[in-house]
Amino acid sequence: MSDIRIEAGKLRAFMERAFEKEGFDTHQAQRIADVLMQADLFGIESHGAQRMMYYHQNIASGSIDVHAHAQTLRETPVSALMDGHFAMGQLTAARAMETAMEKAKKTGVGLVAVRNSSHYGIAGYYPLMAAREGLAAFSMTNTGPIMVPTFGREMMLGTNPLAFSMPADPYPFWFDASTTVVTLGKVEVYDKRGREMPEGWTIDGEGRVCRDAHAMNASILAGGRGGILPLGGEGETHSGHKGYGLAIMVEALTGVLAQGLLCPQMCGAHGDHTSHFFLAFDPAMFGDAHEIRTRMSEYLQMLRDSEKAPGQERIYTPGEKAHEAMADRLENGVPVEENTLAELRQIARELDIAPL
Amino acid sequence: MSDIRIEAGKLRAFMERAFEKEGFDTHQAQRIADVLMQADLFGIESHGAQRMMYYHQNIASGSIDVHAHAQTLRETPVSALMDGHFAMGQLTAARAMETAMEKAKKTGVGLVAVRNSSHYGIAGYYPLMAAREGLAAFSMTNTGPIMVPTFGREMMLGTNPLAFSMPADPYPFWFDASTTVVTLGKVEVYDKRGREMPEGWTIDGEGRVCRDAHAMNASILAGGRGGILPLGGEGETHSGHKGYGLAIMVEALTGVLAQGLLCPQMCGAHGDHTSHFFLAFDPAMFGDAHEIRTRMSEYLQMLRDSEKAPGQERIYTPGEKAHEAMADRLENGVPVEENTLAELRQIARELDIAPL
């Protein structure tokens, strides 16, 4: 498995062209491509070009509706409930976050719950929209079943990521993490590379430690027993119950609050009927926005400057690796796997557009 | 080390008497005792009677001001910034959560940031106040330094708990967890019992795995190098960077947003100048409150009913163990350690009140 570097502008243009040909208008295609490109630029390859085939297939099968638009069902000055009507998740989510931001600018805070959406890309894309305009924001989504409960062996929870961003310099504080110990993407990478996984990532159908990435990946996709462990690992010794609890919290704020499908009611690891939650607020409600931003930046710098563990050269703060990856990829191109390139060629053929 | 069961009503009455004698009025003493009793009833002994001596000493030293009252510095219909003026953390926090709840009842949501508070007991006490009135709520606090960053060896972050509750039956969904892999209380328990800690909880000043609870406890209290690892453990293999990121998120919403002291600026593991964050919202903004509550309850039941890992008889949902512990303790009394009982006798002598 080797990577080829593709010039970022070319990759973006290809994505836009593909999504236009799928039936989206130019503005929509740009938004979807922007979410995917953000992932690729940040070095989160699992959620960038690599997901093009997933969207292509789901559009073809009709599980994503190209012509649908999210609809607001309920609204107050500080909140909205939206139905995604199975439109492309990125479009629904961006509109939901924009709604939360508009409310935050008017009233100080906006909460938006969304049901009947679809896979929305990286959770962290949306809080960054808010951070660019001086707001702090959360984004969460449920997903199809992939995580086993503490002491369980059935996949009853999603990767259920929680993302949060707050303005800071030289770039926003940016946290985006699944509540599983690792994502499916990581299992897939170990599978593709034929590597054994570390202990503490997954358990098999008998509830035993599973290090076989190939077997686990196949089992997850088939909806078998066993699955990925919560952040904190197996049992309670290293506080796996905390990751499990965080995942339920995310489900409470998404599938439950938006009255969408709950995780075990979804089919497939990604989930086609996902629910999201967005919250944006204006830090200026609590004090001088510039001062708060400066304090945030100073604290992050204190962390980076603190003493390193032996053998470590750097302490990172959340978002730092992503922003450094972006600088590299903008200059040197986006690494795309051969498998993914082949998929993009297939998409180009099927959509009758120029390949990369 | 052995425990003696004390009748819950007697323990509560003793606490109330003690706090009245410390200088609080009856209503205040009842609130403080209620927060401590909630911890003891829920089986979180580290934050109940065991903490009486800590508060007693901090009141004596003046670091907690018995006569201070929290003050609202800024306010909007959806938010407030409060200065705790070093009053008892439980009083300030309860008032802040009540403020968030009042705003949530009027506008749908309330966000309250607090600075210059003190140790407020269990983070989860406050969201339960909201859940009892049909609201969903968060509570977070920073604390004095105890956690090392991923790849670091200096304590730069607190235990920084995040608590969340949402109405459900037969009891609310109740999540309350530090963002460290374990709390200081757990290290203390291993120290008192002379037990070795599992790998993956702490690292020493050289950045090596530390299993010596006595040495680690002493080092933390002395502010030495090394400390407790983030949820997810050492490095990134089991996603320790996620626990580290969650802890920074909590600091961003507390010390940074409230413009209080940041963790590394505090002295001592508990922290005397803590900042808190509370958020309460009304689920009824998003749909029928009864239906949302029912869905929450149903999902929790699905989790409990799912297949158990071999050797496991039950799958718990967050808050379940706590509510079962409470039923036991209300019937059979609260287990209090001999050491703690000796401390309560000393407090009784010093305050000139009847001992337990």
Side-chain angles (χ1 to χ4, degrees):
Chain A
M1 198 171 64
S2 73
D3 292 345
I4 292 162
R5 292 261 184 173
I6 309 284
E7 200 259 301
K10 277 190 191 166
L11 183 58
R12 181 185 294 269
F14 175 80
M15 287 180 181
E16 290 177 3
R17 212 157 55 230
F19 284 112
E20 281 197 67
K21 207 62 194 286
E22 298 278 14
F24 297 101
D25 69 30
T26 304
H27 178 78
Q28 290 174 324
Q30 286 173 344
R31 171 67 80 185
I32 301 167
D34 195 50
V35 180
L36 297 184
M37 281 303 297
Q38 188 75 77
D40 267 331
L41 291 172
F42 273 2
I44 308 164
E45 281 89 2
S46 57
H47 284 62
Q50 201 267 123
R51 279 280 161 84
M52 289 288 286
M53 184 55 87
Y54 167 81
Y55 295 116
H56 180 61
Q57 289 172 340
N58 278 271
I59 289 166
S61 74
S63 79
I64 293 172
D65 183 350
V66 172
H67 305 292
H69 290 86
Q71 179 191 9
T72 300
L73 302 177
R74 274 172 179 255
E75 197 163 17
T76 77
V78 297
S79 71
L81 171 71
M82 290 168 64
D83 189 317
H85 291 305
F86 314 115
M88 195 77 180
Q90 287 85 347
L91 301 177
T92 300
R95 195 170 137 209
M97 182 50 98
E98 277 163 1
T99 303
M101 288 162 63
E102 278 162 29
K103 290 175 189 294
K105 286 176 186 174
K106 278 187 202 154
T107 70
V109 61
L111 291 75
V112 179
V114 184
R115 68 181 177 225
N116 297 330
S117 186
S118 57
H119 192 275
Y120 77 171
I122 51 169
Y125 177 87
Y126 309 98
L128 274 188
M129 291 168 61
R132 271 184 222 113
E133 303 196 21
L135 304 172
F138 288 90
S139 154
M140 304 178 202
T141 188
N142 65 1
T143 77
I146 198 159
M147 184 199 297
V148 294
T150 299
F151 301 145
R153 59 173 172 155
E154 254 185 293
M155 297 186 292
M156 298 293 291
L157 306 109
T159 48
N160 291 15
L162 182 162
F164 174 74
S165 187
M166 194 151 133
D169 299 300
Y171 24 66
F173 171 67
W174 185 71
F175 176 73
D176 179 358
S178 72
T179 49
T180 42
V181 62
V182 288
T183 55
L184 179 59
K186 210 129 183 187
V187 177
E188 286 169 346
V189 167
Y190 273 65
D191 178 10
K192 281 186 184 171
R193 301 197 175 165
R195 287 179 59 187
E196 264 206 332
M197 298 182 290
E199 276 190 32
W201 283 12
T202 71
I203 55 167
D204 68 15
E206 303 304 314
R208 291 172 308 218
V209 171
C210 175
R211 303 186 59 184
D212 181 340
H214 183 69
M216 181 48 57
N217 193 24
S219 167
I220 288 171
L221 295 178
R225 293 285 174 275
I228 300 182
L229 290 161
L231 174 61
E234 196 180 359
E236 297 181 332
T237 308
H238 292 87
S239 294
H241 56 290
K242 294 183 185 177
Y244 165 55
L246 284 169
I248 306 176
M249 181 184 89
V250 171
E251 183 69 52
L253 289 165
T254 56
V256 172
L257 193 64
Q259 305 132 74
L261 286 193
L262 299 172
C263 171
Q265 299 165 335
M266 284 188 240
C267 286
H270 297 303
D272 295 327
H273 296 70
T274 51
S275 297
H276 318 309
F277 178 74
F278 305 94
L279 189 156
F281 73 87
D282 189 350
M285 289 193 291
F286 301 97
D288 179 73
H290 178 74
E291 194 187 318
I292 292 170
R293 183 186 186 116
T294 302
R295 288 178 72 76
M296 188 73 227
S297 311
E298 284 172 355
Y299 180 53
L300 295 172
Q301 194 56 46
M302 283 183 209
L303 290 166
R304 289 178 207 121
D305 290 343
S306 71
E307 285 179 27
K308 315 300 175 280
Q312 299 298 336
E313 284 176 14
R314 284 183 65 179
I315 289 172
Y316 294 89
T317 54
E320 209 181 359
K321 282 188 180 178
H323 278 83
E324 293 190 1
M326 185 161 67
D328 165 67
R329 281 146 175 77
L330 286 175
E331 198 178 321
N332 304 312
V334 175
V336 182
E337 281 177 14
E338 278 180 10
N339 292 343
T340 300
L341 280 176
E343 289 173 356
L344 299 187
R345 278 192 295 271
Q346 185 187 335
I347 291 171
R349 271 196 310 276
E350 292 183 15
L351 294 176
D352 193 21
I353 58 173
L356 259 173
Chain B
M1 198 171 66
S2 72
D3 292 346
I4 291 160
R5 292 261 184 172
I6 308 284
E7 199 259 300
K10 277 189 188 166
L11 183 57
R12 182 184 292 269
F14 175 81
M15 288 181 181
E16 289 178 1
R17 210 155 60 227
F19 285 111
E20 281 197 67
K21 208 64 196 284
E22 298 278 13
F24 295 102
D25 69 29
T26 304
H27 179 76
Q28 291 174 321
Q30 285 173 344
R31 171 66 80 184
I32 302 166
D34 196 50
V35 180
L36 298 184
M37 281 303 296
Q38 188 75 76
D40 268 330
L41 291 173
F42 273 2
I44 310 163
E45 281 89 1
S46 57
H47 284 64
Q50 202 266 123
R51 279 280 161 83
M52 290 287 287
M53 183 55 87
Y54 167 81
Y55 294 116
H56 179 63
Q57 289 171 341
N58 278 271
I59 290 166
S61 74
S63 79
I64 292 172
D65 183 350
V66 171
H67 304 293
H69 290 86
Q71 180 191 8
T72 300
L73 301 177
R74 272 172 180 257
E75 198 164 15
T76 77
V78 297
S79 71
L81 172 71
M82 292 170 60
D83 189 318
H85 291 304
F86 314 114
M88 194 77 180
Q90 287 85 344
L91 301 177
T92 300
R95 194 169 137 209
M97 183 49 97
E98 278 163 1
T99 303
M101 289 161 62
E102 279 162 26
K103 290 176 188 295
K105 285 176 188 174
K106 277 187 202 154
T107 70
V109 60
L111 290 76
V112 179
V114 183
R115 69 182 177 225
N116 298 329
S117 185
S118 57
H119 191 276
Y120 76 171
I122 51 169
Y125 178 88
Y126 309 98
L128 273 187
M129 290 168 61
R132 268 182 226 113
E133 303 196 20
L135 303 172
F138 288 91
S139 153
M140 303 178 202
T141 188
N142 65 1
T143 77
I146 196 158
M147 184 199 297
V148 294
T150 299
F151 301 144
R153 59 172 171 156
E154 255 186 292
M155 297 185 291
M156 297 294 290
L157 305 109
T159 48
N160 290 15
L162 181 163
F164 173 73
S165 187
M166 193 151 135
D169 299 297
Y171 24 68
F173 171 68
W174 185 70
F175 177 74
D176 179 359
S178 72
T179 50
T180 42
V181 63
V182 288
T183 55
L184 179 58
K186 207 126 183 189
V187 178
E188 286 170 347
V189 166
Y190 273 65
D191 177 10
K192 280 186 184 171
R193 302 196 176 167
R195 288 180 57 187
E196 264 205 332
M197 297 183 291
E199 277 191 31
W201 283 13
T202 71
I203 54 167
D204 69 16
E206 303 305 315
R208 291 173 307 218
V209 170
C210 175
R211 303 187 58 183
D212 181 339
H214 184 69
M216 180 49 56
N217 193 23
S219 168
I220 288 171
L221 296 178
R225 291 286 174 276
I228 300 181
L229 289 161
L231 174 61
E234 196 178 1
E236 296 181 333
T237 307
H238 291 87
S239 295
H241 55 290
K242 294 184 186 177
Y244 165 55
L246 283 169
I248 305 176
M249 180 184 89
V250 170
E251 184 70 51
L253 290 165
T254 55
V256 172
L257 193 64
Q259 305 133 74
L261 286 193
L262 298 173
C263 170
Q265 299 165 333
M266 284 188 238
C267 286
H270 297 303
D272 294 328
H273 295 70
T274 51
S275 296
H276 319 309
F277 178 73
F278 305 94
L279 188 156
F281 73 86
D282 189 350
M285 290 193 291
F286 301 96
D288 179 74
H290 177 74
E291 193 188 315
I292 293 170
R293 183 186 187 117
T294 301
R295 287 179 71 76
M296 187 73 226
S297 311
E298 283 171 354
Y299 181 52
L300 295 172
Q301 193 57 44
M302 283 181 210
L303 291 166
R304 289 179 207 120
D305 289 344
S306 71
E307 285 179 28
K308 316 300 176 278
Q312 299 298 335
E313 285 177 15
R314 283 183 67 176
I315 289 172
Y316 293 90
T317 54
E320 209 182 357
K321 282 189 180 178
H323 278 84
E324 293 190 2
M326 184 160 70
D328 165 68
R329 280 146 175 78
L330 286 174
E331 196 178 323
N332 304 311
V334 175
V336 183
E337 281 177 13
E338 277 180 10
N339 292 343
T340 299
L341 279 177
E343 288 174 358
L344 298 187
R345 278 192 295 273
Q346 184 188 334
I347 290 170
R349 271 195 310 277
E350 291 182 18
L351 293 176
D352 194 21
I353 59 172
L356 259 176

